[in-house]
Amino acid sequence: MSIPEGLDDNRRGQGLTRRGFLLAVGSVSLLAACRDKAAPRTTEPAAAPVAKADPAFLDLSRALTGKNDLDPATADRIEKAFATLQPDLHAQFPALVTLAGQVSGAQALVDAAGDAKPAALAIITAWYTGTVGKGVHAVTVSYRDALMQRCVDDGLSPPTYVQGGPAWWTAAPPAPIRAHA
């Protein structure tokens, strides 16, 4: 059985070799990658603006939780999740916003909420648990920054399957334990 012409590896210098082909493809790829980095792209669309939380909902959240340092991005995610998952509760938010301007204190606001009390409690729950909704339809809007994590933040990481907590590999290893002599 003879080797077809052009497939004989012993025929050096004739035609394109595999090594030459790979070198050419690698060089072209490298040049293309360098060109993409050096030349700005004019056909890319502008980055989408960052969504801003509704200031009224953020203020309502601050009034209900008693926390002034709530994250606006999380507030935006919470409100959007309510609008999608629980529109009946979301429809009560404007009444709570109005009431928050009239009542001082988180407990007083919840007590004065009347028919909107389930919506007020759902907002508080969302901030503390980092989820909106229940069961299989629940949406996680925050994990690490959920308010329930704050009370143990100085000593415990949020619970995970990773023994050291989220991003455990970025911390310095613990000091070795030495036996007392």
Side-chain angles (χ1 to χ4, degrees):
M1 182 191 260
S2 67
I3 298 174
E5 193 173 318
L7 296 180
D8 185 3
D9 287 332
N10 295 328
R11 302 176 82 197
R12 306 258 182 233
Q14 296 181 4
L16 185 63
T17 64
R18 282 182 280 175
R19 183 176 292 156
F21 175 74
L22 291 174
L23 183 62
V25 168
S27 298
V28 169
S29 298
L30 180 64
L31 289 173
C34 290
R35 184 191 63 83
D36 283 348
K37 299 279 187 210
R41 295 179 184 228
T42 57
T43 59
E44 288 184 16
V50 177
K52 293 185 179 181
D54 177 13
F57 179 75
L58 186 57
D59 289 340
L60 172 62
S61 296
R62 289 176 179 148
L64 285 168
T65 62
K67 309 288 184 195
N68 290 325
D69 58 344
L70 299 178
D71 181 30
T74 303
D76 186 55
R77 289 192 301 266
I78 289 173
E79 185 176 19
K80 286 179 180 176
F82 272 113
T84 303
L85 296 173
Q86 297 175 326
D88 54 326
L89 292 179
H90 187 263
Q92 297 175 353
F93 289 2
L96 287 171
V97 168
T98 302
L99 189 59
Q102 301 167 356
V103 178
S104 180
Q107 186 62 51
L109 179 56
V110 171
D111 291 341
D115 292 340
K117 187 173 183 176
L121 293 175
I123 292 170
I124 295 169
T125 301
W127 278 103
Y128 274 87
T129 64
T131 59
V132 173
K134 293 182 181 179
V136 296
H137 300 293
V139 172
T140 301
V141 293
S142 178
Y143 176 69
R144 174 69 186 94
D145 296 323
L147 294 181
M148 70 179 178
Q149 306 294 356
R150 287 188 181 183
C151 59
V152 294
D153 195 34
D154 61 340
L156 296 176
S157 296
T160 72
Y161 291 106
V162 179
Q163 191 169 6
W168 62 270
W169 59 87
T170 61
I177 299 174
R178 298 181 185 188
H180 296 294

